[in-house]
Amino acid sequence: MAANPVYPVIWKDDRVLLIDQTRLPNDYEVVDIHQAEAMATAIETMIVRGAPAIGVAAAYGMYLGAREIQTSDRHQFLAQLEVVAKRLRATRPTAVNLFWAIDLMLKTAHQTSGDVAQIKAVLLETAQTINADDVRTCQQIGDHGLTVLPSQPGKLRLLTHCNAGALATAGYGTALGVVRSAWTAGRLERVFADETRPRLQGAKLTAWECVQEGIPVTVITDNMAAHCMQRGMIDAVVVGADRIAANGDTANKIGTYSVALVAKAHNIPFFVAAPLSTIDFAISDGSRIPIEERHPSEIYSVGNTILCPQGAEFYNPAFDVTPAHLITAIITEHGAIAPADLQSRLQSLVTA
């Protein structure tokens, strides 16, 4: 079946339109965002989620905050813009794209000459550029992924964890970008999507995206991945990332580390698909990546149904860190890079 491309963050008619991902797959609803605080809330409540999409949303949030500032004094404007940035930074601590986009918007504001009106106009242009660049980057990631996926007589069966698709980016996706490119190239047989407890992004969002485009998808529970690998049902794993340390250690949705360990045990390649903006060279290794902890209700309830006995305690980290030695390659918009080569490769790109 054919489907229109999915774009979870759109600028239209002086406002931001977000697909409400908390309503999928049963309901497709679009939320209008007019103010920076509304954008912060949308990020916190996961109306918009996925590191690249969060970055794009935060960029627009910075512009919306700038638009609300009522002063013509440049210094006062920049000071108040820092307050907007502080609020947006506090929304999701693990996704580095959030901080990258906010820092870029602040840098743009400080470096733009002219009056406050001019700065605001340039901030909107910058947010729109971040948006468009992310779609293009994801398409490049998808195409580069084709060069490193296993070569074999039959079509590929890929496993993914969480959602790193169009919904998690400005469009097309990172891990699902690789899947989409493989499907378009006629190399994909099927996607296996881990359900991804506790918020079920794989079951709800990855499966939804695949169904929209007619890509064969099988949803499995998180604890079935090892069984499927043992039975020879998986040829490669492709996941996204929320932050990558300088040494290649990668933070992604909780449960990713388990999948990587099992893939290693079965000699199955494990790929991370992410833009260079997800790499945080200020962090030496994964032990320094901040891990967001979310409300325990995500574990003990589904909708209005309580799953656990009263009196139990809960631990709900949203992410875990996969060590670099478990990662076959990191697929970026500049090609697939071995984790150990990240810093030297980036240096070569800067000096090229």
Side-chain angles (χ1 to χ4, degrees):
M1 62 186 282
N4 293 324
V6 174
Y7 299 110
V9 185
I10 296 175
W11 177 261
K12 185 178 181 180
D13 298 333
D14 288 333
R15 68 193 193 281
V16 183
L17 305 180
L18 301 178
I19 297 175
D20 187 345
Q21 299 187 40
T22 67
R23 307 287 295 178
L24 292 172
N26 296 324
D27 300 306
Y28 182 95
E29 294 186 6
V30 175
V31 178
D32 285 16
I33 304 293
H34 300 267
Q35 297 176 320
E37 179 57 32
M39 183 63 81
T41 299
I43 295 171
E44 286 174 332
T45 60
M46 298 179 73
I47 287 174
V48 59
R49 30 72 52 204
I54 289 171
V56 174
Y60 282 124
M62 286 291 291
Y63 167 69
L64 292 175
R67 190 174 66 180
E68 297 171 53
I69 297 172
Q70 301 297 316
T71 181
S72 59
D73 182 272
R74 179 186 178 90
H75 295 292
Q76 290 181 11
F77 171 80
L78 293 174
Q80 292 181 49
L81 191 62
E82 292 283 356
V83 175
V84 176
K86 182 179 180 180
R87 172 68 181 102
L88 289 167
R89 283 195 185 102
T91 55
R92 300 291 303 277
T94 303
V96 73
N97 304 68
L98 170 78
F99 303 94
W100 172 84
I102 292 170
D103 290 345
L104 179 58
M105 294 291 281
L106 281 175
K107 181 179 178 181
T108 298
H110 281 275
Q111 292 183 347
T112 298
S113 59
D115 59 17
V116 168
Q118 179 63 23
I119 296 174
K120 291 180 179 180
V122 173
L123 285 176
L124 176 57
E125 292 172 2
T126 302
Q128 291 173 313
T129 298
I130 291 172
N131 193 340
D133 285 350
D134 188 70
V135 176
R136 182 167 53 253
T137 293
C138 287
Q139 292 170 338
Q140 292 169 339
I141 289 171
D143 292 341
H144 284 303
L146 289 179
T147 67
V148 293
L149 290 175
S151 298
Q152 57 189 50
K155 294 184 179 181
L156 293 164
R157 297 156 303 173
L158 303 178
L159 173 72
T160 191
H161 187 78
C162 195
N163 174 260
L167 290 168
T169 63
Y172 201 74
T174 53
L176 273 192
V178 176
V179 167
R180 283 185 167 91
S181 293
W183 177 248
T184 301
R187 295 183 57 194
L188 181 71
E189 178 183 318
R190 177 168 299 274
V191 179
F192 287 85
D194 281 347
E195 62 176 350
T196 320
R197 281 279 289 155
R199 292 189 64 95
L200 304 174
Q201 295 98 323
K204 292 181 176 181
L205 305 180
T206 295
W208 180 82
E209 286 195 44
C210 290
V211 168
Q212 299 309 300
E213 298 184 31
I215 298 174
V217 58
T218 297
V219 177
I220 61 174
T221 62
D222 297 346
N223 55 3
M224 293 178 186
H227 170 80
C228 292
M229 292 183 193
Q230 186 182 59
R231 294 179 66 87
M233 298 165 62
I234 307 297
D235 299 307
V237 180
V238 187
V239 301
D242 285 79
R243 187 181 300 217
I244 301 172
N247 73 335
D249 292 350
T250 296
N252 193 51
K253 190 56 58 185
I254 190 73
T256 303
Y257 177 34
S258 302
V259 176
L261 286 168
V262 175
K264 186 73 170 181
H266 291 87
N267 198 30
I268 292 171
F270 181 94
F271 298 105
V272 172
L276 288 179
S277 60
T278 305
I279 303 171
D280 187 351
F281 286 98
I283 291 182
S284 59
D285 61 68
S287 68
R288 299 176 181 275
I289 297 176
I291 300 298
E292 175 187 3
E293 291 190 32
R294 296 187 60 81
H295 195 275
S297 62
E298 294 180 347
I299 295 178
Y300 67 66
S301 63
V302 175
N304 295 322
T305 302
I306 303 298
L307 304 176
C308 304
Q310 187 174 6
E313 297 182 1
F314 302 91
Y315 174 51
N316 188 20
F319 304 92
D320 58 23
V321 176
T322 299
H325 69 87
L326 297 176
I327 299 170
T328 306
I330 297 171
I331 306 169
T332 76
E333 66 269 36
H334 292 284
I337 306 171
D341 297 335
L342 277 180
Q343 295 194 62
S344 60
R345 183 64 179 276
L346 182 65
Q347 184 62 36
S348 67
L349 291 171
V350 170
T351 58

